[in-house]
Amino acid sequence: MSEIAVLVEHRLGEIRDITFEMLAKANQLAEKSGYRTTAIMIGKGVEDLAGKLKGYCDRLLLVEDESMKFFVSDAYQKVLEDIVRERRPRLLLIGHTSYGLELAPSLAASLNIPLITGCTDITLDEGVEVVRPVYGGKLLARVEVNYPGTVILTLSQGVVKPFNPGKETEIIRKSVDVGEPGSKVFLEYVMPEESEVDISSADVIVAVGRGIQDKSNIPQAEELAKALGGVLACSRPIVDKGWLPQDRQVGSSGKTVKPKLYLALGISGAFQHIQGMKDSQLIIAVNKDPNAPIFNVAHYGVVEDLFRIVPVLIEKVREARGGG
Amino acid sequence: MDIVVCVKHVPQVSEAEVRVTSDGRDIDRSGLVFDINEWDDYALEEALRIREERGGTVTVITVGGEESDETLRKCLAKGADNAVRITDPRINLWNPMVVARVLAAAISKLQYDLILAGAQSSDDGYGAVGPALAGFLGIPHATIVKKVELRDGSVLVQRELEGGLEERLKIKLPALLSIQTGINEPRYVSIMGVRRAMRRPIKTMSLDELGLSPSEIEDESSWIMVKELYAPPVERRAEIIEGNPEEIASKIVEILKSRGIL
């Protein structure tokens, strides 16, 4: 019970940012509490990649096997069950990512230990306490975990700044007893389709959310985007409804954008959406709900029905442009 | 093909103001509209489509109080065959592992080839109950699924990774899939469906009937305790532009000009 373990997330030959974010959080917690940090890297042919973690942890457990060439949660789960039972870390941090959510809950079930997902902050002293967004990011919950053994936490992406504490990293190779091939098999990656419009390179983005109400209102927003010399993007619900293609989606499951102007129309600002646009240089949000979380990241806000603003704005923008 | 769909009755908060109760531990439910969790609606739709194609049954199941019957009725109205509600005040709904354990106990008594759940619920946002349930049942699973193709004895799924990337997996049945929004277009409830739903029973089950030890569930429930709910600290509150639409639009144009965007 003297370590904080972090599962290294990597894909297609790259260590994903969340790994360094988790290690930063683990090192912060470890420094205060006297714990040591252990990174766990599972894969095949990843030794060179593992070298990039030097300095970021006290120990690196490297588990390699042909069956772990691709991420498949069953295989990872077996390895982690053994490691947790053997090493009994106080915390096991896993990314709040697609891989993490595939793995952490069934791992917690098989070990019969607590799990809290989507943490944006973690404190560790006698007990474990986390903060996480609830109700679509409208509230935060401070949650206490009362359990003396290992607790699994998934850490949200982009909430911790990575740093390299320059630790003396000891690399330990660990062999695994791989059982029968599991009942889940990785087949292939499906790459995103080539985009007609690359929203991530646009200087001006007009983005629509649920507030646009109907597919027939999309052209109005598109017109505004054109008037501003920009492109049209959207939040997840618009893609779900099939009103815009997926390559227009901003957020953690879509694209991350940093335009000079991000004009959000009828977007409430769910946590996943904000992740994808919060670093825009200028954010203006139009939403009739004064409590929409989008107003907590926007520089300017308009609390008004977007349909009352957009037509006038199109006109004014055209005037301004025409007047040169 | 017999399918079980896990659903949750949740407040619709995307356009509502969410207030915290005076003890700071819960939300003020008055004035909020409750409905089926959005992700679960897609999961139910997927189940109904599979049944329409292949036959079988669709059973919806939830953990919650009597108010959850409204969501179960809606599922029945959409075409689910059976509805089950597990209810006990000792079940801590904020502990996803307890909810999953209770669901596992109930579902293990049912006939099933496939279990569908929403990829997450809009209230607690854990995204954990589905895959944890699979863990307790000892069956394979896939989460955040955007495409389901059934084969003999297995299912091909496409699941969402990040940044538009997806992956395809092959999973043996019986399996649990957690369904992402956008996988289909959920149907609306028909008048005929509502009438049919009123006649169908909702089966309720207690911890005793599930063979679960209430003291164990209480103990496990106590692992997780919500100490406080609060509004996120505001790092940067937007400067609100006031006026009529004309004035607002003019001010936006001024801001854009001053930033060299126009």
Side-chain angles (χ1 to χ4, degrees), chain B residues 125-139:
Chain B
Y126 283 126
V129 169
L133 164 59
F136 284 125
L137 289 171
I139 60 171

Side-chain angles (χ1 to χ4, degrees), chain A residues 179-254:
Chain A
E180 292 286 295
S183 39
K184 172 149 77 172
V185 183
F186 172 86
L187 300 176
E188 60 180 348
Y189 291 112
V190 181
M191 301 295 169
E193 281 173 33
E194 282 291 319
S195 299
E196 214 181 295
V197 175
D198 182 14
I199 57 168
S200 52
S201 65
D203 279 341
V204 172
I205 291 177
V206 173
V208 295
R210 271 183 220 268
I212 198 78
Q213 287 176 9
D214 196 86
K215 191 178 184 179
S216 63
N217 296 322
I218 301 267
Q220 212 183 121
E222 178 111 61
E223 208 182 322
L224 177 58
K226 280 206 183 113
L228 286 163
V231 299
L232 186 65
C234 64
S235 62
R236 160 142 227 144
I238 303 303
V239 174
D240 286 347
K241 290 185 160 80
W243 295 351
L244 282 172
Q246 204 198 344
D247 58 23
R248 303 290 183 115
Q249 185 187 327
V250 173
S252 49
S253 56

